[in-house]
Amino acid sequence: MDISIIGTGYVGLVTGVGLAEKGNRVICMDMIKEKVDIINSGKSPIYEKGLNELLEKNIGKNLVATTDLRNAVLNSDVTFICVGTPSKRDGSLDLSSVKNASKGIGKILSEKDSYHVVVVKSTVLPGTTEETVIPILEENSGKKFISDFGIAANPEFLREGIAVKDFLNPDRIIIGSLDKRSRRIIEQIYSNFKCPILRTDIKTAEMIKYAANSFLATKISFINEIGNMCKKLNINVYEVARGISLDHRVSPYFLNAGLGWGGSCFPKDLKALIYKAKKLGYEPFLLNAVFKVNEEQPQRLLDMAKRKIGSFKGKKIAVLGMAFKGGTDDVRDSPAFPVIEGLLREGANVTAYDPNAEDSAKEFFGDRIEYADSAENSLKDSDLALIVTDWEEFEELDFREMKNRIVIDARNIVKNRKGIDYEGLCW
Ligand code: UDX
């Protein structure tokens, strides 16, 4: 199939490279020329495990990048919209990129005679494709949806850092459509994937994405709530999690208690769903609580640290991890940030270390904190260490150079707990 992808962020680029790897001819389009040039040189502008290898293998053969939207749409039969939908202050979505992409695609559809399917892969609230995308496509193409062009919703479930693996080995594929022709064409694209394909209407597909992320966030806030109680009962919540996870209805995943969730998706998607609920006149008590439990975890860590060392003023505090999770350089909504801000507010001297996210963190903290080039150098002469991101290298740390070997682990990642005053956030 001839496919074009609009937007080469981690969803667009992974989808484009993945579909090329699956034998399609793919044109990735982005407005940013630097990104396009990097991709055409066989390199990935973003870090995703395995992406560089697949990109290098396919580029110039059945994969090319361009800044030319017209070229991309005219030379493909299906266009995936994979642009960002960031949060606005009130939790609603900034749809400007989706609208611009729809407008541009619509204009080009007016020149096409052959049938073309537009697929919305960007995360948009239920109703957006029908209420916003289709009208813009029709207005700018002068054509009618279904009779002249097709539309589908195909949400992504990619985790940052393992997006290539998640794309090539999905648990399921969701195809939202309102007509058989569009659905059949998208089914054909995924015909060589080994997983269930669920066919729904468009807004159901849009809702599945939000329900999926909100449920995963709920699972984490749930085990954190149980963990906060276990802490007061001197119970290890990880043993409780093990006990419930043996029930096949629960599963062992997303029950790691700790500092909570961050990233570019959970906070944005939960805020958007809460916003939508309120717009519908429904008070989302549970979703609000999921947010609240998560928001309070960093303060719990700071309170625990205060109980351990008294005032932070003038103390050297090592913060290990700044990314929102291990395996990525992404610091968006990282729970490590409110922890660092809280330490700075009380006059601590913070030395932070993160194997991948230092540059991203520097944009926020500048010279307000010190940056160590290794975990050990961050720990040297420190009064306290806070482990806030689950990087594998934090499993085996050498705490001997610390002034006071007090360690609070907010990710249950530290394995060697000998010779230190170790405490877990929820265990
Ligand atoms: C998530 C969804 O998993 C993915 O399907 C969706 O497409 C995008 O959003 P991602 O945000 O990349 O993916 O990260 P994920 O691995 O889901 O972790 C999200 C956050 O939850 C991280 O901050 C992580 O540290 C935290 N987390 C995860 C926990 O605190 N406990 C857990 O058990 C699992």
Side-chain angles (χ1 to χ4, degrees):
M1 187 81 77
D2 288 319
I3 294 169
S4 49
I5 308 278
I6 314 304
T8 59
Y10 93 91
V11 172
L13 188 55
V14 168
T15 300
V17 172
L19 289 176
E21 175 65 10
K22 285 283 191 178
N24 299 283
R25 279 180 301 282
V26 178
I27 307 172
C28 287
M29 184 269 163
D30 202 292
M31 296 187 291
I32 302 168
K33 189 173 179 323
E34 291 72 24
K35 267 189 175 182
V36 165
D37 293 345
I38 293 169
I39 294 167
N40 283 328
S41 73
K43 293 259 173 302
S44 166
I46 52 169
Y47 173 75
E48 272 298 337
K49 195 164 176 224
L51 185 57
N52 255 336
E53 293 80 350
L54 282 190
L55 203 156
E56 212 169 359
K57 177 181 168 192
N58 288 286
I59 198 73
K61 300 183 185 78
N62 50 354
L63 176 69
V64 68
T66 180
T67 55
D68 183 345
L69 178 65
R70 185 167 180 279
N71 166 286
V73 175
L74 287 180
N75 293 294
S76 61
D77 303 311
V78 179
T79 297
F80 283 79
I81 297 177
C82 300
V83 293
T85 53
S87 289
K88 287 184 187 167
R89 293 178 67 80
D90 64 358
S92 66
L93 294 181
D94 174 355
L95 290 175
S96 52
S97 298
V98 169
K99 289 177 179 174
N100 288 339
S102 305
K103 189 173 171 192
I105 295 164
K107 283 204 169 64
I108 298 151
L109 289 186
S110 65
E111 300 174 46
K112 281 198 89 169
D113 300 330
S114 57
Y115 194 75
H116 197 97
V117 181
V118 179
V119 185
V120 179
K121 187 173 269 292
S122 298
T123 302
V124 291
L125 282 165
T128 304
T129 298
E130 290 163 272
E131 293 156 15
T132 305
V133 176
I134 291 176
I136 293 174
L137 286 170
E138 290 187 326
E139 191 187 316
N140 287 277
S141 65
K143 294 185 172 179
K144 284 308 284 167
F145 152 59
I146 293 188
S147 51
D148 304 327
F149 65 87
I151 198 109
N154 174 225
E156 53 82 17
F157 302 97
L158 309 179
R159 290 167 291 173
E160 276 197 52
I162 33 183
V164 172
K165 176 176 168 286
D166 281 351
F167 181 82
L168 295 174
N169 309 283
D171 288 334
R172 76 317 202 167
I173 284 161
I174 307 291
I175 300 176
S177 64
L178 296 175
D179 71 292
K180 209 178 282 178
R181 191 173 179 186
S182 302
R183 193 190 72 223
R184 288 223 172 106
I185 290 171
I186 308 308
E187 282 171 345
Q188 201 190 324
I189 291 174
Y190 288 110
S191 59
N192 53 1
F193 282 69
K194 296 184 191 61
C195 70
I197 292 185
L198 184 63
R199 297 153 186 85
T200 69
D201 65 25
I202 286 181
K203 59 186 170 189
T204 301
E206 292 166 329
M207 187 53 160
I208 287 169
K209 168 69 183 175
Y210 281 92
N213 269 6
S214 302
F215 178 70
L216 293 169
T218 301
K219 246 188 132 174
I220 297 164
S221 287
F222 167 78
I223 200 64
N224 282 345
E225 178 125 297
I226 299 295
N228 295 334
M229 291 164 60
C230 285
K231 185 71 192 169
K232 293 177 181 301
L233 290 161
N234 203 18
I235 295 170
N236 183 341
V237 67
Y238 276 77
E239 287 176 36
V240 173
R242 174 113 180 88
I244 62 173
S245 69
L246 293 170
D247 180 327
H248 72 279
R249 295 168 300 175
V250 174
S251 102
Y253 308 105
F254 279 65
L255 286 176
N256 298 329
L259 197 55
W261 41 265
S264 62
C265 297
F266 283 5
K268 169 175 83 78
D269 293 352
L270 203 57
K271 269 186 230 164
L273 198 56
I274 288 169
Y275 168 86
K276 185 71 177 179
K278 290 180 176 165
K279 275 276 176 206
L280 295 168
Y282 175 82
E283 187 53 44
F285 298 107
L286 177 62
L287 298 180
N288 285 322
V290 169
F291 223 98
K292 190 102 185 80
V293 168
N294 194 60
E295 263 179 344
E296 294 190 356
Q297 290 303 91
Q299 190 54 50
R300 288 181 182 282
L301 175 58
L302 291 166
D303 294 345
M304 189 179 287
K306 186 74 77 64
R307 284 196 297 277
K308 297 291 265 188
I309 66 165
S311 154
F312 297 147
K313 195 160 177 47
K315 298 279 174 58
K316 184 179 185 293
I317 297 179
V319 174
L320 270 60
M322 291 185 276
F324 81 92
K325 68 171 181 175
T328 173
D329 60 357
D330 194 341
V331 294
R332 284 176 287 185
D333 274 312
S334 171
F337 279 34
V339 171
I340 294 172
E341 291 291 3
L343 294 169
L344 292 173
R345 247 194 321 274
E346 304 210 14
N349 298 319
V350 175
T351 301
Y353 166 71
D354 187 291
N356 269 22
E358 179 179 321
D359 293 345
S360 313
K362 265 184 182 158
E363 289 171 29
F364 289 84
F365 293 111
D367 57 7
R368 291 192 293 147
I369 62 173
E370 296 295 319
Y371 302 90
D373 58 4
S374 70
E376 281 62 32
N377 287 341
S378 168
L379 292 166
K380 196 168 168 39
D381 304 329
S382 62
D383 297 292
L384 167 74
L386 303 178
I387 319 296
V388 295
T389 304
D390 54 338
W391 283 105
E392 226 170 280
E393 68 176 80
F394 296 163
E395 288 182 7
E396 302 297 333
L397 290 168
D398 181 350
F399 298 103
R400 284 174 299 181
E401 298 285 303
M402 289 180 73
K403 188 170 139 203
N404 300 316
R405 293 180 195 165
I406 301 171
V407 177
I408 302 182
D409 182 359
R411 292 293 185 188
N412 195 31
I413 189 82
V414 175
K415 296 254 182 296
N416 68 332
R417 302 174 183 180
K418 289 194 188 61
I420 57 174
D421 174 352
Y422 173 96
E423 182 142 12
L425 181 59
C426 309
W427 49 90

